[in-house]
């Protein structure tokens, strides 16, 4: 049921308006994509529209070191003049924070977006698949600013190295999850007491896996069609 809601919202372009926050210099990343050309000689190329309504660049930049260096600052090659702070990424790679996060600028940007009526935001920064600190901090600031849904590329697409699929995934999640949540609220109201506190209710995701209804998201419900067997499930379980 939930996958149909998400798929229809995507196909009919009836998801929620949201903003994309991206590392400064990458505002057109998702519009450009990979520049793949499946029909090389077509003179009129029509690309699908992006899902986000607004895009804002955030002052921050993290890069992966391309040389051998210790995290304590002991330089093994002549790179003393390179600015930034060294940290370890989740993969163990050595990272350099070239530009720290401009929290003041982020707060101003979030306030502007809230005044525009935005309630959902997607966040995608460079190399956040192994250094998600800046994304998480912006997510905290967005929550404080009153955003109802926040999609971090480092969480919704944690294993995706490339920035384009991470950003696209975060944008799709911010676009569709509010629709899923609205559907779930109506679904829960149909039960006695308008709650499922004493019932195990799982939804099947697009990959065939099960997730508790509270954790069902738009990104995991884009493609419909998986089938599940419920005859062996002990009551009072609900499989949707």
């Amino acid at each position: 049921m939930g996958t149909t809601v998400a798929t229809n919202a995507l196909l009919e372009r009836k998801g929620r308006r949201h903003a994309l926050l991206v590392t400064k210099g990458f505002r057109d990343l998702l519009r450009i994509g990979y520049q793949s050309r499946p029909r090389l000689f077509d003179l009129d190329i029509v690309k699908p529209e992006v899902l986000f309504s607004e895009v804002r660049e955030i002052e921050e930049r993290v890069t992966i070191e391309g040389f051998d260096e210790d995290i304590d600052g002991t330089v093994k090659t002549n790179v003393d003049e390179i600015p930034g702070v060294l940290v370890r990424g989740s993969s163990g790679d050595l990272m350099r924070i070239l530009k720290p996060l401009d929290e003041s600028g982020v707060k101003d940007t979030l306030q502007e977006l809230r005044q525009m009526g935005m309630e959902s935001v997607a966040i995608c920064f460079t190399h956040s698949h192994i250094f998600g600190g800046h994304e998480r901090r912006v997510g905290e600031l967005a929550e404080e600013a009153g955003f109802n849904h926040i999609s971090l590329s480092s969480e919704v697409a944690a294993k995706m190295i490339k920035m384009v699929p991470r950003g696209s995934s975060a944008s799709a999640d911010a676009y569709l999850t509010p629709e899923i949540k609205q559907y779930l609220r109506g679904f829960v109201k149909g039960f006695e007491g308008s709650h499922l506190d004493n019932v195990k209710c799982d939804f099947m995701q697009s990959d065939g896996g099960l997730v508790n209804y509270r954790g069902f998201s738009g990104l995991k419900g884009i493609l419909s069609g998986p089938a599940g067997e419920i005859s062996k499930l002990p009551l009072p379980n609900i499989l949707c």
Side-chain angles (χ1 to χ4, degrees):
M1 296 188 298
T3 51
T4 303
V5 174
T7 303
N8 288 345
L10 179 63
L11 292 176
E12 298 173 8
R13 288 299 192 267
K14 292 183 178 180
R16 298 296 175 87
R17 295 178 66 243
H18 70 281
L20 173 68
L21 304 184
V22 68
T23 301
K24 186 175 182 180
F26 291 84
R27 66 178 297 116
D28 295 319
L29 177 73
L30 299 189
R31 295 186 184 277
I32 296 172
Y34 293 113
Q35 291 196 15
S36 59
R37 293 171 172 80
R39 296 181 300 278
L40 185 62
F41 298 104
D42 281 8
L43 298 179
D44 184 19
I45 302 296
V46 180
K47 298 180 66 175
E49 286 295 321
V50 294
L51 298 178
F52 55 85
S53 301
E54 299 287 337
V55 59
R56 295 291 185 274
E57 295 179 311
I58 301 299
E59 281 279 5
E60 71 86 40
R61 189 62 190 270
V62 177
T63 188
I64 302 177
E65 291 290 73
F67 48 81
D68 192 12
E69 185 176 12
D70 291 333
I71 196 169
D72 60 4
T74 303
V75 182
K76 296 182 179 179
T77 55
N78 187 22
V79 291
D80 297 315
E81 297 180 358
I82 298 179
V85 177
L86 295 174
V87 296
R88 258 327 154 185
S90 60
S91 64
D93 290 296
L94 193 60
M95 316 289 296
R96 185 180 290 274
I97 302 178
L98 296 175
K99 290 184 180 180
L101 181 66
D102 178 13
E103 293 195 10
S104 177
V106 170
K107 292 178 181 178
D108 292 341
T109 297
L110 293 173
Q111 183 179 6
E112 175 194 357
L113 293 172
R114 287 292 292 132
Q115 291 174 348
M116 296 174 63
M118 297 290 175
E119 296 183 352
S120 183
V121 62
I123 305 169
C124 182
F125 295 155
T126 60
H127 302 299
S128 62
H129 63 292
I130 54 177
F131 181 78
H134 286 176
E135 282 194 2
R136 288 192 294 272
R137 180 53 183 155
V138 174
E140 293 171 356
L141 295 175
E143 187 174 1
E144 294 173 4
F147 283 86
N148 294 332
H149 181 74
I150 302 157
S151 296
L152 309 182
S153 76
S154 56
E155 293 183 357
V156 301
K159 296 183 180 180
M160 291 185 180
I161 297 175
K162 295 184 178 181
M163 196 172 174
V164 170
R166 273 194 296 109
S168 298
S169 297
S171 181
D173 189 73
Y175 186 69
L176 298 174
T177 298
E179 294 295 324
I180 287 287
K181 297 300 183 184
Q182 179 177 332
Y183 164 75
L184 289 176
R185 286 192 293 269
F187 176 77
V188 171
K189 287 181 180 179
F191 290 84
E192 184 176 351
S194 297
H195 65 77
L196 293 174
D197 295 345
N198 300 318
V199 179
K200 184 178 186 294
C201 177
D202 291 340
F203 273 77
M204 182 171 284
Q205 303 178 120
S206 298
D207 59 6
L210 297 178
V211 64
N212 184 272
Y213 76 97
R214 293 185 178 88
F216 191 42
S217 69
L219 180 64
K220 298 298 181 66
I222 292 179
L223 301 178
S224 62
E229 181 182 1
I230 66 173
S231 60
K232 297 180 181 179
L233 290 176
L235 295 176
N237 291 335
I238 301 174
L239 178 64
C240 301

